[in-house]
Amino acid sequence: MRLHRPVFVVGCMWVTAIVALLPSSPAHAQTTLASTPPMGWNSWNHFAKKVTDADVRAAADALVASGMRDAGYIYVNIDDTWEGQRDAQGNIQTNSKFPDMKALADYVHSKGLKLGIYSSPGPKTCAGYEGSYGHEQQDADTYAKWGVDYLKYDLCSYRNVMKTESNGDQQKAWTMMQQAYEKMHQALLNTHRPIVYSLCQYGWDAVWNWGPKVGGNLWRTTGDISDNYDRMSLIGFSQAGLAKYAAPGRWNDPDMLEVGNGRMKPDEYRTHMSLWAMLAAPLLAGNDLSKMDDTTKSILMNKEVIAVDQDALGVQGDRVHATGPFEVWMKPLQDGSKAVALFNRSESDYPITVQLKDVGFDGPVQARDLWSHADLGTLNGSYTVVVPRHGVVMLRLKP
Ligand code: GLA
């Protein structure tokens, strides 16, 4: 039994007594994490294997200076390639790009941010660095000692372990995979440090069915995103139907943001940001935060769109209507409003109509456009608007 805080009021001794009688429930610590989809930054999409301590510090600085931290982007997540060798006792060391992980964590924390790290249940990570295989508890303890707040655990070479040990028995391989994720879950709980647990195994074996059982606060539902409209939209729009698996503390993760990385048009990045918000997806910026133009900032820091993603109801949105490449998605919100996004996946600008009854309204609604930041007044019956090619119009409708 471990109390996280000293009990401070003598008059509340009975509370102390009740708490002391409760069985130790580390699982509780884990499920109160990520009550809204995690927001922050991750090094992979822009820096990939080159990321250094200096890049991570610069990202932390930029989160503060740009206003992103205050908009909710809290996690500073180091992806693959920080790992060094193990010492004689088997403790994982950092490599020369990261001279002192504890000092880096202290720096990130001093900015009011949290630090994330990356590993694999396999012997090697996807980039061929040291994984946690056979060292799960030791690594979790090291992360906790450093002050890590978030772990992305990427299947990578554990696939080979599964293949070898399952002898072609697919069911056995899937069971091994779940057990590997559960093993690290237990290791994290044993540290008694709240660490957000991010599963990364590309959505295999319908992870949304078992991700919560192995302690996942989020789980990747797809293969890797890349900075182009076709890949982003393929991933994003394929999330239709997964809404029922998401809830506070457990989120579908269609991968990190590419906004600001330069290979999509502003309308396409607005689609990316809007769709991820409708999906209650984690918002992990993947660009170089120290070099952001105003358009990138306006997209990543659109507070009205972020509010849709982070809405306390915690219900993921879903597609309610599609006519060819024209799609209408709806996400219910805590105050009885609904976020409604009209997506134009076609190759030319086109008018799209939303029928209010299709998004659950049988009377008039007050409408606000979340990209033009304009009140549209009262809508009755339907709303038609020209949506740019590959673009979006995102509304908040209140009865
Ligand atoms: C996999 C993951 C990516 C990234 C790389 C790092 O491809 O899906 O998100 O973490 O590994 O090697």
Side-chain angles (χ1 to χ4, degrees):
M1 177 68 210
R2 187 172 183 276
L3 288 176
H4 288 269
R5 269 181 222 102
V7 176
F8 47 90
V9 184
V10 179
C12 285
M13 285 304 282
W14 61 274
V15 177
T16 320
I18 292 171
V19 171
L21 286 173
L22 290 172
S24 175
S25 61
H28 181 70
Q30 215 60 5
T31 51
T32 55
L33 283 170
S35 59
T36 61
M39 290 177 68
W41 171 84
N42 174 294
S43 59
W44 187 254
N45 284 354
H46 178 81
F47 292 93
K49 298 180 191 176
K50 294 200 188 109
V51 65
T52 65
D53 175 285
D55 296 328
V56 176
R57 284 171 192 253
D61 293 346
L63 283 172
V64 178
S66 64
M68 281 179 72
R69 177 194 63 187
D70 295 340
Y73 294 86
I74 294 295
Y75 288 96
V76 179
N77 293 352
I78 308 168
D79 208 277
D80 204 352
T81 78
W82 63 267
E83 310 87 342
Q85 300 303 311
R86 294 185 181 277
D87 69 12
Q89 287 72 46
N91 296 309
I92 186 77
Q93 313 286 299
T94 53
N95 62 42
S96 60
K97 297 191 294 146
F98 290 89
D100 186 342
M101 196 62 91
K102 173 78 172 73
L104 179 55
D106 290 346
Y107 184 79
V108 166
H109 292 153
S110 77
K111 303 263 161 183
L113 298 163
K114 292 176 182 289
L115 186 73
I117 212 163
Y118 168 100
S119 191
S120 169
K124 294 286 173 209
T125 66
C126 295
Y129 286 68
E130 192 70 18
S132 292
Y133 185 67
H135 295 273
E136 293 81 1
Q137 189 63 58
Q138 207 171 8
D139 285 359
D141 291 342
T142 301
Y143 305 152
K145 195 179 74 190
W146 284 339
V148 165
D149 308 293
Y150 184 117
L151 173 68
K152 173 175 168 183
Y153 206 44
D154 193 349
L155 191 68
C156 305
S157 69
Y158 194 74
R159 281 176 285 197
N160 304 335
V161 179
M162 287 157 56
K163 203 169 167 191
T164 311
E165 292 184 18
S166 65
N167 276 319
D169 179 345
Q170 186 60 62
Q171 201 46 54
K172 185 170 176 202
W174 289 150
T175 304
M176 284 178 67
M177 180 169 67
Q178 294 188 24
Q179 286 168 344
Y181 278 94
E182 174 59 13
K183 192 169 199 174
M184 183 52 92
H185 173 222
Q186 289 306 324
L188 293 175
L189 293 177
N190 290 339
T191 69
H192 294 283
R193 183 177 174 86
I195 297 177
V196 170
Y197 190 30
S198 159
L199 315 189
C200 178
Q201 42 77 277
Y202 337 115
W204 289 2
D205 191 27
V207 61
W208 40 87
N209 283 321
W210 54 269
K213 281 186 240 149
V214 299
N217 297 114
L218 60 159
W219 46 81
R220 280 272 298 276
T221 53
T222 70
D224 290 10
I225 197 167
S226 53
D227 187 19
N228 65 74
Y229 177 77
D230 287 345
R231 182 67 186 154
M232 178 280 293
S233 59
L234 179 73
I235 286 179
F237 290 106
S238 74
Q239 302 300 295
L242 291 182
K244 64 172 183 270
Y245 302 100
R250 35 203 272 192
W251 307 103
N252 292 303
D253 173 9
D255 207 358
M256 304 169 291
L257 298 173
E258 293 282 6
V259 177
N261 278 335
R263 291 179 191 274
M264 283 188 250
K265 302 243 157 45
D267 277 328
E268 297 173 333
Y269 282 137
R270 278 188 279 273
T271 291
H272 186 9
M273 184 76 184
S274 303
L275 185 49
W276 264 235
M278 295 299 287
L279 293 169
L283 298 178
L284 296 169
N287 56 318
D288 181 354
L289 302 178
S290 63
K291 298 192 185 74
M292 281 193 286
D293 60 19
D294 287 344
T295 305
T296 300
K297 286 185 192 167
S298 74
I299 296 171
L300 287 174
M301 282 189 280
N302 183 328
K303 292 189 179 164
E304 297 189 85
V305 171
I306 291 172
V308 169
D309 180 80
Q310 295 288 301
D311 186 77
L313 191 61
V315 174
Q316 179 173 330
D318 216 331
R319 180 162 52 212
V320 293
H321 186 81
T323 309
F326 312 117
E327 302 197 6
V328 177
W329 288 60
M330 188 276 285
K331 181 183 196 285
L333 305 174
Q334 172 111 70
D335 67 353
S337 306
K338 288 170 181 187
V340 173
L342 287 65
F343 294 103
N344 178 358
R345 300 177 64 181
S346 83
E347 297 305 319
S348 43
D349 301 357
Y350 208 83
I352 301 183
T353 297
V354 53
Q355 301 292 342
L356 295 185
K357 65 173 173 20
D358 285 351
V359 291
F361 293 113
D362 49 18
V365 296
Q366 296 302 310
R368 183 159 173 89
D369 185 315
L370 304 188
W371 284 109
S372 67
H373 303 292
D375 287 328
L376 303 178
T378 306
L379 306 183
N380 275 293
S382 68
Y383 179 64
T384 301
V385 62
V386 174
V387 182
R389 164 188 188 268
H390 293 184
V392 60
V393 168
M394 191 163 166
L395 306 171
R396 187 169 179 131
L397 305 180
K398 197 176 167 100

